[in-house]
Amino acid sequence: MTEDMTESAVNENGTATAAATAAASVTAPRDASRPLAGMVALVAGGTRGGGRGIAVELGAAGATVYVTGRTSTAGRSDLDRPETIEETAERITAAGGLGIPVRTDHARPDEVRALVDRIAAEQDGRLDLLVNSVWGGDALTDWENPLWQQDLEKGLRLLRRAVETHVITSRYALPLLVARGSGLVVEVTDGNTARYRGSFFYDLAKSSVIRLAVAQAAELKPHGVAAVAITPGFLRSEAMLEHFGVTEDNWRDGAAQDPNFAHSETPAYLGRAVAALAADPQIMAKTGRALATWDLYEEYGFTDADGARPDFAAHWAEALEAEYGPLGDPL
């Protein structure tokens, strides 16, 4: 991939121009600042939050990133959020990669199949990294009631959005990784232990995503492809900043409402963890594991956007374990 690529290399429909596609398919020499140069990634669910953080940091590491979601300038989703996949793609390119937005509903197999066919056609069959980060369950999560008092249709819809979408995406994307005999699948979850997550359907979804990584790892290992699950700590997403009435510039003011917020981390921290995993030549040693930013920063040496190194597990042990019990051992 050439250094002078900009968002102009992608047309208004999110399609890479011929020149950009040709350039992106050339494997550039690796260097410390661009360890993913020449690699092609798909970040499913990269419109906002952790998915956007991952997509942008993959771009910063030099990757070509197809970023997908349902919220686009071409048609908004039902989440009523302002972020779009086009904005994420622009940030990827500005960071040094090539961002290619493709509006995709990952609950629709036909749309996912078309997405993967397009990647194969534009990148000569190449896909190095699949990130399953589709969520869309915030408005469907009931934090107040036990299962027998919850809206069943909402709960099942949450599972369809947060689990079935991952299965559908992997079903169509994995053949590209298997054909290359290398690569990585990352399942984004919340928590890396068996600890109950506070709401029945939320817990089932996030636990299931870990199991998706375990199952894919078992089936992909003979083909040289790794699969892991990963969790951030207290994620300082766009929605969370709004919840506390702060911005990224004054986010520490939110700790007045919740002291735990002082130990939060930006989506970039999660993104840098995934970029480090994707660049690790020994990634097969981690396949099948549930990982966390608070472990990986020590191993790989990355920092958050402000240079800090948040460790939510350490904070939990110090401030929350006495009241809520141990966080639990990683799965």
Side-chain angles (χ1 to χ4, degrees):
M1 183 167 18
T2 59
E3 289 289 342
D4 59 351
M5 285 187 187
T6 67
E7 59 269 26
S8 63
V10 181
N11 70 21
E12 61 183 3
N13 295 317
T15 304
T17 63
T21 299
S25 65
V26 177
T27 302
R30 296 288 178 85
D31 63 59
S33 64
R34 295 170 56 81
L36 303 185
M39 290 192 179
V40 178
L42 165 58
V43 179
T47 313
R48 60 186 65 84
R52 171 175 278 188
I54 292 169
V56 173
E57 290 303 321
L58 293 177
T64 293
V65 185
Y66 287 80
V67 57
T68 66
R70 296 183 300 128
T71 307
S72 163
T73 55
R76 296 178 66 85
S77 75
D78 59 356
L79 297 180
D80 195 30
R81 294 288 311 174
E83 303 86 11
T84 67
I85 55 172
E86 288 82 8
E87 291 173 352
T88 301
E90 290 172 1
R91 295 187 185 194
I92 293 165
T93 302
L98 175 62
I100 304 175
V102 185
R103 186 169 188 261
T104 307
D105 184 343
H106 286 264
R108 297 180 58 88
D110 57 333
E111 293 190 21
V112 177
R113 184 190 300 113
L115 165 68
V116 174
D117 286 348
R118 172 177 164 178
I119 294 172
E122 292 181 354
Q123 302 298 333
D124 195 24
R126 179 165 193 161
L127 182 64
D128 301 281
L129 173 63
L130 167 63
V131 179
N132 277 323
S133 189
V134 178
W135 166 232
D138 285 340
L140 301 172
T141 303
D142 182 343
W143 295 105
E144 303 298 327
N145 298 301
L147 169 62
W148 60 91
Q149 295 176 349
Q150 290 200 27
D151 184 313
L152 183 60
E153 176 51 37
K154 280 188 176 181
L156 294 177
R157 197 185 320 154
L158 186 154
L159 294 178
R160 288 192 291 271
R161 285 187 177 183
V163 180
E164 286 188 13
T165 54
H166 293 220
V167 175
I168 292 168
T169 306
S170 286
R171 165 61 182 83
Y172 290 106
L174 291 184
L176 297 186
L177 297 171
V178 169
R180 288 185 59 79
S182 64
L184 173 65
V185 178
V186 176
E187 294 283 347
V188 181
T189 187
D190 179 12
N192 66 340
T193 75
R195 183 183 183 85
Y196 176 60
R197 290 163 174 79
S199 176
F200 180 87
F201 288 105
Y202 184 93
D203 178 81
L204 185 57
K206 298 303 183 179
S207 298
S208 296
V209 167
I210 294 176
R211 194 63 195 177
L212 291 181
V214 172
Q216 289 176 90
E219 296 190 350
L220 290 169
K221 189 173 183 179
H223 303 281
V225 180
V228 300
I230 188 169
T231 180
F234 193 156
L235 188 67
R236 202 158 67 244
S237 64
E238 300 91 346
M240 191 58 63
L241 289 169
E242 286 186 10
H243 172 75
F244 284 102
V246 296
T247 67
E248 189 56 38
D249 291 333
N250 69 336
W251 70 269
R252 292 185 183 278
D253 293 346
Q257 302 173 55
D258 181 353
N260 299 309
F261 194 59
H263 301 272
S264 63
E265 58 197 60
T266 74
Y269 202 49
L270 176 63
R272 291 172 182 181
V274 172
L277 290 168
D280 188 347
Q282 304 301 320
I283 188 59
M284 289 303 296
K286 290 183 172 62
T287 194
R289 291 175 53 189
L291 307 170
T293 55
W294 56 77
D295 292 324
L296 296 176
Y297 84 86
E298 292 185 311
E299 178 177 356
Y300 293 113
F302 58 84
T303 67
D304 206 341
D306 61 359
R309 290 181 169 175
D311 188 326
F312 198 72
H315 171 65
W316 183 286
E318 179 180 348
L320 300 173
E321 184 173 309
E323 182 176 357
Y324 298 104
L327 192 58
D329 293 328
L331 292 171

